[in-house]
Amino acid sequence: TASPQIRASLTALDVGAHIWCRPYLTLSPHCFVLDDGDGRPVGYVIGVQHTSEYVRNVKGNYLPSLKIASVGSPVNSPPHEAEKDYKDPGLIIELHKVLQTPELMLHEKHPRILETWPAHLHIDILPSHQRQGWGRKMIEHFCNAVEKGVHVVVNGKNEGAFKFYEKVGFERYREGEGQDGVRSDGTVCFVRDG
């Protein structure tokens, strides 16, 4: 789920979608949607079996295919009219940096992550369908499909996500990190054997 800062900006949401959603739909067969029983989507889990291969595909295929009108440079993309009073243009610039540098997913300081848990995922379920076991079922379905160890990176302030991932079988990756596993960029990596 997008942070409040990202949800406050249509531009940030658009760029975020190009980081955490659209490339997966284009490049990965591992996308599962939860519907409400009447065909309306209420959640999803997306991810890849091999993160390093995914990064190569993002760099070589996805990024070159982006339309400048949709995701331009942070300097040349004016904010949407609705956000003329948006107070954090630095966030949009940072999101563009993340978009243009997918190799950050390679965990170069911690090669064991991709050696042992090469798959990664993103999950999002609407609040109306949370705390009903759907997240666990979707994680299980994804893990069974990729048949590999899985890792996920979480904002270091997202205590709710910590509890969720630990509840569904993930553990904090602590090697080379502080006692709580928080990395220098403020994130926490969780891992689960395949």
Side-chain angles (χ1 to χ4, degrees), residues 14-27 54-67 70-71 99-100 102:
D14 186 43
V15 177
H18 284 288
I19 297 168
W20 298 300
C21 184
R22 293 179 184 174
Y24 293 90
L25 297 176
T26 304
L27 301 172
Y54 172 76
V55 168
R56 281 192 299 276
N57 283 328
V58 168
K59 293 286 278 188
N61 299 314
Y62 181 74
L63 289 177
S65 74
L66 291 180
K67 297 178 182 169
S70 178
V71 180
L99 174 65
Q100 297 298 326

mmCIF file of all heavy atoms in Angstrom, residues 14-27 54-67 70-71 99-100 102:
data_model
loop_
_atom_site.group_PDB
_atom_site.id
_atom_site.type_symbol
_atom_site.label_atom_id
_atom_site.label_comp_id
_atom_site.label_asym_id
_atom_site.label_seq_id
_atom_site.Cartn_x
_atom_site.Cartn_y
_atom_site.Cartn_z
ATOM 1 N N ASP A 14 1.329 7.877 -9.734
ATOM 2 C CA ASP A 14 1.602 7.419 -11.092
ATOM 3 C C ASP A 14 3.004 6.827 -11.191
ATOM 4 O O ASP A 14 3.195 5.731 -11.713
ATOM 5 C CB ASP A 14 1.433 8.573 -12.081
ATOM 6 C CG ASP A 14 1.556 8.116 -13.517
ATOM 7 O OD1 ASP A 14 0.996 7.058 -13.870
ATOM 8 O OD2 ASP A 14 2.226 8.814 -14.301
ATOM 9 N N VAL A 15 3.982 7.543 -10.665
ATOM 10 C CA VAL A 15 5.354 7.027 -10.710
ATOM 11 C C VAL A 15 5.448 5.755 -9.870
ATOM 12 O O VAL A 15 6.071 4.774 -10.289
ATOM 13 C CB VAL A 15 6.369 8.093 -10.237
ATOM 14 C CG1 VAL A 15 7.780 7.515 -10.211
ATOM 15 C CG2 VAL A 15 6.324 9.318 -11.147
ATOM 16 N N GLY A 16 4.815 5.734 -8.697
ATOM 17 C CA GLY A 16 4.815 4.547 -7.854
ATOM 18 C C GLY A 16 4.239 3.331 -8.571
ATOM 19 O O GLY A 16 4.746 2.216 -8.434
ATOM 20 N N ALA A 17 3.190 3.534 -9.347
ATOM 21 C CA ALA A 17 2.608 2.425 -10.105
ATOM 22 C C ALA A 17 3.599 1.856 -11.115
ATOM 23 O O ALA A 17 3.606 0.659 -11.390
ATOM 24 C CB ALA A 17 1.334 2.883 -10.818
ATOM 25 N N HIS A 18 4.459 2.736 -11.658
ATOM 26 C CA HIS A 18 5.480 2.283 -12.601
ATOM 27 C C HIS A 18 6.643 1.583 -11.902
ATOM 28 O O HIS A 18 7.473 0.963 -12.551
ATOM 29 C CB HIS A 18 6.009 3.462 -13.424
ATOM 30 C CG HIS A 18 5.060 3.890 -14.499
ATOM 31 N ND1 HIS A 18 4.847 3.146 -15.625
ATOM 32 C CD2 HIS A 18 4.264 4.962 -14.590
ATOM 33 C CE1 HIS A 18 3.961 3.760 -16.385
ATOM 34 N NE2 HIS A 18 3.584 4.859 -15.776
ATOM 35 N N ILE A 19 6.704 1.684 -10.588
ATOM 36 C CA ILE A 19 7.744 0.983 -9.816
ATOM 37 C C ILE A 19 7.196 -0.331 -9.278
ATOM 38 O O ILE A 19 7.801 -1.388 -9.450
ATOM 39 C CB ILE A 19 8.236 1.848 -8.634
ATOM 40 C CG1 ILE A 19 8.884 3.136 -9.137
ATOM 41 C CG2 ILE A 19 9.208 1.055 -7.757
ATOM 42 C CD1 ILE A 19 9.134 4.157 -8.033
ATOM 43 N N TRP A 20 6.036 -0.284 -8.611
ATOM 44 C CA TRP A 20 5.556 -1.406 -7.808
ATOM 45 C C TRP A 20 4.415 -2.197 -8.416
ATOM 46 O O TRP A 20 3.927 -3.130 -7.801
ATOM 47 C CB TRP A 20 5.148 -0.901 -6.427
ATOM 48 C CG TRP A 20 6.294 -0.298 -5.682
ATOM 49 C CD1 TRP A 20 7.459 -0.930 -5.328
ATOM 50 C CD2 TRP A 20 6.402 1.030 -5.209
ATOM 51 N NE1 TRP A 20 8.278 -0.055 -4.677
ATOM 52 C CE2 TRP A 20 7.655 1.166 -4.579
ATOM 53 C CE3 TRP A 20 5.564 2.151 -5.246
ATOM 54 C CZ2 TRP A 20 8.097 2.341 -4.009
ATOM 55 C CZ3 TRP A 20 5.999 3.334 -4.675
ATOM 56 C CH2 TRP A 20 7.249 3.415 -4.061
ATOM 57 N N CYS A 21 3.965 -1.844 -9.625
ATOM 58 C CA CYS A 21 2.841 -2.576 -10.193
ATOM 59 C C CYS A 21 3.036 -2.892 -11.681
ATOM 60 O O CYS A 21 3.119 -4.055 -12.059
ATOM 61 C CB CYS A 21 1.547 -1.785 -9.984
ATOM 62 S SG CYS A 21 0.084 -2.648 -10.559
ATOM 63 N N ARG A 22 3.066 -1.883 -12.507
ATOM 64 C CA ARG A 22 3.036 -2.100 -13.960
ATOM 65 C C ARG A 22 4.150 -2.988 -14.509
ATOM 66 O O ARG A 22 3.873 -3.834 -15.365
ATOM 67 C CB ARG A 22 3.006 -0.754 -14.675
ATOM 68 C CG ARG A 22 1.717 -0.028 -14.423
ATOM 69 C CD ARG A 22 1.689 1.314 -15.092
ATOM 70 N NE ARG A 22 0.457 1.997 -14.729
ATOM 71 C CZ ARG A 22 0.202 3.232 -15.060
ATOM 72 N NH1 ARG A 22 1.061 3.932 -15.772
ATOM 73 N NH2 ARG A 22 -0.928 3.796 -14.692
ATOM 74 N N PRO A 23 5.397 -2.847 -14.067
ATOM 75 C CA PRO A 23 6.407 -3.743 -14.647
ATOM 76 C C PRO A 23 6.147 -5.211 -14.315
ATOM 77 O O PRO A 23 6.448 -6.095 -15.119
ATOM 78 C CB PRO A 23 7.732 -3.248 -14.063
ATOM 79 C CG PRO A 23 7.376 -2.403 -12.894
ATOM 80 C CD PRO A 23 5.994 -1.884 -13.142
ATOM 81 N N TYR A 24 5.568 -5.466 -13.160
ATOM 82 C CA TYR A 24 5.265 -6.859 -12.791
ATOM 83 C C TYR A 24 4.178 -7.415 -13.698
ATOM 84 O O TYR A 24 4.250 -8.570 -14.116
ATOM 85 C CB TYR A 24 4.835 -6.940 -11.327
ATOM 86 C CG TYR A 24 5.954 -6.601 -10.387
ATOM 87 C CD1 TYR A 24 6.158 -5.291 -9.970
ATOM 88 C CD2 TYR A 24 6.838 -7.576 -9.939
ATOM 89 C CE1 TYR A 24 7.206 -4.970 -9.125
ATOM 90 C CE2 TYR A 24 7.884 -7.265 -9.096
ATOM 91 C CZ TYR A 24 8.062 -5.957 -8.693
ATOM 92 O OH TYR A 24 9.100 -5.638 -7.867
ATOM 93 N N LEU A 25 3.174 -6.610 -13.994
ATOM 94 C CA LEU A 25 2.100 -7.076 -14.867
ATOM 95 C C LEU A 25 2.616 -7.340 -16.272
ATOM 96 O O LEU A 25 2.110 -8.215 -16.966
ATOM 97 C CB LEU A 25 0.972 -6.033 -14.909
ATOM 98 C CG LEU A 25 0.281 -5.783 -13.577
ATOM 99 C CD1 LEU A 25 -0.737 -4.664 -13.716
ATOM 100 C CD2 LEU A 25 -0.373 -7.042 -13.042
ATOM 101 N N THR A 26 3.639 -6.602 -16.686
ATOM 102 C CA THR A 26 4.220 -6.748 -18.012
ATOM 103 C C THR A 26 5.218 -7.900 -18.083
ATOM 104 O O THR A 26 5.264 -8.620 -19.075
ATOM 105 C CB THR A 26 4.930 -5.432 -18.419
ATOM 106 O OG1 THR A 26 3.999 -4.368 -18.344
ATOM 107 C CG2 THR A 26 5.512 -5.516 -19.812
ATOM 108 N N LEU A 27 6.013 -8.087 -17.031
ATOM 109 C CA LEU A 27 7.167 -8.979 -17.104
ATOM 110 C C LEU A 27 7.046 -10.276 -16.311
ATOM 111 O O LEU A 27 7.929 -11.120 -16.415
ATOM 112 C CB LEU A 27 8.422 -8.229 -16.617
ATOM 113 C CG LEU A 27 8.786 -6.959 -17.382
ATOM 114 C CD1 LEU A 27 9.918 -6.224 -16.674
ATOM 115 C CD2 LEU A 27 9.172 -7.297 -18.820
ATOM 116 N N TYR A 54 14.508 -10.345 -13.256
ATOM 117 C CA TYR A 54 13.512 -9.278 -13.345
ATOM 118 C C TYR A 54 14.188 -7.908 -13.512
ATOM 119 O O TYR A 54 13.786 -7.120 -14.363
ATOM 120 C CB TYR A 54 12.645 -9.300 -12.091
ATOM 121 C CG TYR A 54 11.709 -8.128 -11.975
ATOM 122 C CD1 TYR A 54 10.560 -8.062 -12.745
ATOM 123 C CD2 TYR A 54 11.971 -7.084 -11.092
ATOM 124 C CE1 TYR A 54 9.687 -6.983 -12.644
ATOM 125 C CE2 TYR A 54 11.118 -6.013 -10.987
ATOM 126 C CZ TYR A 54 9.977 -5.964 -11.764
ATOM 127 O OH TYR A 54 9.139 -4.890 -11.662
ATOM 128 N N VAL A 55 15.235 -7.647 -12.739
ATOM 129 C CA VAL A 55 15.943 -6.364 -12.848
ATOM 130 C C VAL A 55 16.503 -6.191 -14.257
ATOM 131 O O VAL A 55 16.392 -5.110 -14.847
ATOM 132 C CB VAL A 55 17.043 -6.257 -11.769
ATOM 133 C CG1 VAL A 55 17.972 -5.084 -12.044
ATOM 134 C CG2 VAL A 55 16.412 -6.128 -10.387
ATOM 135 N N ARG A 56 17.094 -7.253 -14.825
ATOM 136 C CA ARG A 56 17.602 -7.168 -16.207
ATOM 137 C C ARG A 56 16.473 -6.832 -17.180
ATOM 138 O O ARG A 56 16.644 -6.017 -18.091
ATOM 139 C CB ARG A 56 18.270 -8.481 -16.617
ATOM 140 C CG ARG A 56 19.671 -8.653 -16.078
ATOM 141 C CD ARG A 56 20.402 -9.831 -16.744
ATOM 142 N NE ARG A 56 19.743 -11.109 -16.528
ATOM 143 C CZ ARG A 56 19.905 -11.880 -15.450
ATOM 144 N NH1 ARG A 56 20.702 -11.483 -14.482
ATOM 145 N NH2 ARG A 56 19.273 -13.027 -15.335
ATOM 146 N N ASN A 57 15.311 -7.458 -16.998
ATOM 147 C CA ASN A 57 14.178 -7.192 -17.889
ATOM 148 C C ASN A 57 13.621 -5.778 -17.721
ATOM 149 O O ASN A 57 13.190 -5.161 -18.695
ATOM 150 C CB ASN A 57 13.074 -8.220 -17.679
ATOM 151 C CG ASN A 57 13.393 -9.535 -18.337
ATOM 152 O OD1 ASN A 57 14.056 -9.579 -19.368
ATOM 153 N ND2 ASN A 57 12.927 -10.619 -17.744
ATOM 154 N N VAL A 58 13.603 -5.279 -16.491
ATOM 155 C CA VAL A 58 13.141 -3.911 -16.275
ATOM 156 C C VAL A 58 14.073 -2.944 -16.998
ATOM 157 O O VAL A 58 13.630 -2.049 -17.716
ATOM 158 C CB VAL A 58 13.047 -3.574 -14.766
ATOM 159 C CG1 VAL A 58 12.848 -2.074 -14.550
ATOM 160 C CG2 VAL A 58 11.911 -4.349 -14.121
ATOM 161 N N LYS A 59 15.382 -3.128 -16.805
ATOM 162 C CA LYS A 59 16.363 -2.236 -17.441
ATOM 163 C C LYS A 59 16.334 -2.365 -18.963
ATOM 164 O O LYS A 59 16.387 -1.367 -19.670
ATOM 165 C CB LYS A 59 17.775 -2.531 -16.934
ATOM 166 C CG LYS A 59 18.037 -2.209 -15.492
ATOM 167 C CD LYS A 59 18.158 -0.750 -15.233
ATOM 168 C CE LYS A 59 19.546 -0.233 -15.566
ATOM 169 N NZ LYS A 59 19.741 1.142 -15.137
ATOM 170 N N GLY A 60 16.255 -3.591 -19.461
ATOM 171 C CA GLY A 60 16.375 -3.805 -20.898
ATOM 172 C C GLY A 60 15.091 -3.672 -21.691
ATOM 173 O O GLY A 60 15.128 -3.342 -22.880
ATOM 174 N N ASN A 61 13.949 -3.932 -21.054
ATOM 175 C CA ASN A 61 12.681 -3.944 -21.793
ATOM 176 C C ASN A 61 11.649 -2.940 -21.282
ATOM 177 O O ASN A 61 11.047 -2.219 -22.064
ATOM 178 C CB ASN A 61 12.072 -5.354 -21.756
ATOM 179 C CG ASN A 61 12.969 -6.381 -22.393
ATOM 180 O OD1 ASN A 61 13.504 -6.167 -23.467
ATOM 181 N ND2 ASN A 61 13.172 -7.497 -21.714
ATOM 182 N N TYR A 62 11.419 -2.940 -19.979
ATOM 183 C CA TYR A 62 10.343 -2.103 -19.444
ATOM 184 C C TYR A 62 10.669 -0.611 -19.483
ATOM 185 O O TYR A 62 9.897 0.174 -20.033
ATOM 186 C CB TYR A 62 9.991 -2.531 -18.019
ATOM 187 C CG TYR A 62 8.871 -1.705 -17.433
ATOM 188 C CD1 TYR A 62 7.560 -1.906 -17.852
ATOM 189 C CD2 TYR A 62 9.123 -0.718 -16.492
ATOM 190 C CE1 TYR A 62 6.526 -1.136 -17.340
ATOM 191 C CE2 TYR A 62 8.094 0.047 -15.978
ATOM 192 C CZ TYR A 62 6.805 -0.161 -16.399
ATOM 193 O OH TYR A 62 5.795 0.599 -15.903
ATOM 194 N N LEU A 63 11.787 -0.219 -18.910
ATOM 195 C CA LEU A 63 12.114 1.210 -18.864
ATOM 196 C C LEU A 63 12.194 1.835 -20.260
ATOM 197 O O LEU A 63 11.653 2.924 -20.464
ATOM 198 C CB LEU A 63 13.402 1.460 -18.074
ATOM 199 C CG LEU A 63 13.281 1.251 -16.569
ATOM 200 C CD1 LEU A 63 14.633 1.456 -15.895
ATOM 201 C CD2 LEU A 63 12.239 2.169 -15.957
ATOM 202 N N PRO A 64 12.822 1.181 -21.242
ATOM 203 C CA PRO A 64 12.847 1.790 -22.578
ATOM 204 C C PRO A 64 11.463 1.956 -23.207
ATOM 205 O O PRO A 64 11.273 2.791 -24.091
ATOM 206 C CB PRO A 64 13.703 0.818 -23.398
ATOM 207 C CG PRO A 64 14.545 0.109 -22.405
ATOM 208 C CD PRO A 64 13.682 -0.004 -21.170
ATOM 209 N N SER A 65 10.489 1.175 -22.741
ATOM 210 C CA SER A 65 9.156 1.235 -23.341
ATOM 211 C C SER A 65 8.254 2.316 -22.744
ATOM 212 O O SER A 65 7.166 2.567 -23.255
ATOM 213 C CB SER A 65 8.462 -0.122 -23.212
ATOM 214 O OG SER A 65 8.044 -0.341 -21.871
ATOM 215 N N LEU A 66 8.679 2.934 -21.651
ATOM 216 C CA LEU A 66 7.815 3.928 -21.007
ATOM 217 C C LEU A 66 7.608 5.140 -21.902
ATOM 218 O O LEU A 66 8.524 5.613 -22.560
ATOM 219 C CB LEU A 66 8.417 4.388 -19.675
ATOM 220 C CG LEU A 66 8.430 3.367 -18.560
ATOM 221 C CD1 LEU A 66 9.054 3.978 -17.315
ATOM 222 C CD2 LEU A 66 7.038 2.873 -18.256
ATOM 223 N N LYS A 67 6.404 5.648 -21.864
ATOM 224 C CA LYS A 67 6.094 6.862 -22.616
ATOM 225 C C LYS A 67 6.466 8.068 -21.769
ATOM 226 O O LYS A 67 6.088 8.168 -20.608
ATOM 227 C CB LYS A 67 4.607 6.900 -22.965
ATOM 228 C CG LYS A 67 4.186 5.778 -23.869
ATOM 229 C CD LYS A 67 2.713 5.837 -24.130
ATOM 230 C CE LYS A 67 2.305 4.671 -25.000
ATOM 231 N NZ LYS A 67 0.870 4.514 -25.100
ATOM 232 N N SER A 70 3.766 9.821 -19.782
ATOM 233 C CA SER A 70 3.265 9.235 -18.553
ATOM 234 C C SER A 70 4.254 9.375 -17.408
ATOM 235 O O SER A 70 3.894 9.736 -16.310
ATOM 236 C CB SER A 70 2.953 7.755 -18.781
ATOM 237 O OG SER A 70 2.502 7.166 -17.597
ATOM 238 N N VAL A 71 5.512 9.082 -17.687
ATOM 239 C CA VAL A 71 6.532 9.178 -16.655
ATOM 240 C C VAL A 71 7.720 9.898 -17.266
ATOM 241 O O VAL A 71 8.574 9.295 -17.880
ATOM 242 C CB VAL A 71 6.968 7.789 -16.141
ATOM 243 C CG1 VAL A 71 8.026 7.941 -15.065
ATOM 244 C CG2 VAL A 71 5.787 7.028 -15.597
ATOM 245 N N LEU A 99 12.646 4.424 -9.708
ATOM 246 C CA LEU A 99 12.172 3.883 -10.976
ATOM 247 C C LEU A 99 13.334 3.625 -11.933
ATOM 248 O O LEU A 99 13.392 2.585 -12.587
ATOM 249 C CB LEU A 99 11.170 4.851 -11.625
ATOM 250 C CG LEU A 99 10.685 4.500 -13.026
ATOM 251 C CD1 LEU A 99 9.871 3.211 -12.995
ATOM 252 C CD2 LEU A 99 9.873 5.637 -13.601
ATOM 253 N N GLN A 100 14.266 4.563 -12.007
ATOM 254 C CA GLN A 100 15.366 4.462 -12.962
ATOM 255 C C GLN A 100 16.511 3.566 -12.484
ATOM 256 O O GLN A 100 17.427 3.283 -13.248
ATOM 257 C CB GLN A 100 15.905 5.864 -13.276
ATOM 258 C CG GLN A 100 14.888 6.769 -13.952
ATOM 259 C CD GLN A 100 14.443 6.243 -15.306
ATOM 260 O OE1 GLN A 100 15.221 5.625 -16.035
ATOM 261 N NE2 GLN A 100 13.189 6.466 -15.666
ATOM 262 N N PRO A 102 16.430 0.118 -10.897
ATOM 263 C CA PRO A 102 15.889 -1.131 -10.355
ATOM 264 C C PRO A 102 16.972 -2.026 -9.761
ATOM 265 O O PRO A 102 16.664 -2.927 -8.977
ATOM 266 C CB PRO A 102 15.217 -1.789 -11.560
ATOM 267 C CG PRO A 102 15.899 -1.197 -12.745
ATOM 268 C CD PRO A 102 16.248 0.208 -12.339
#
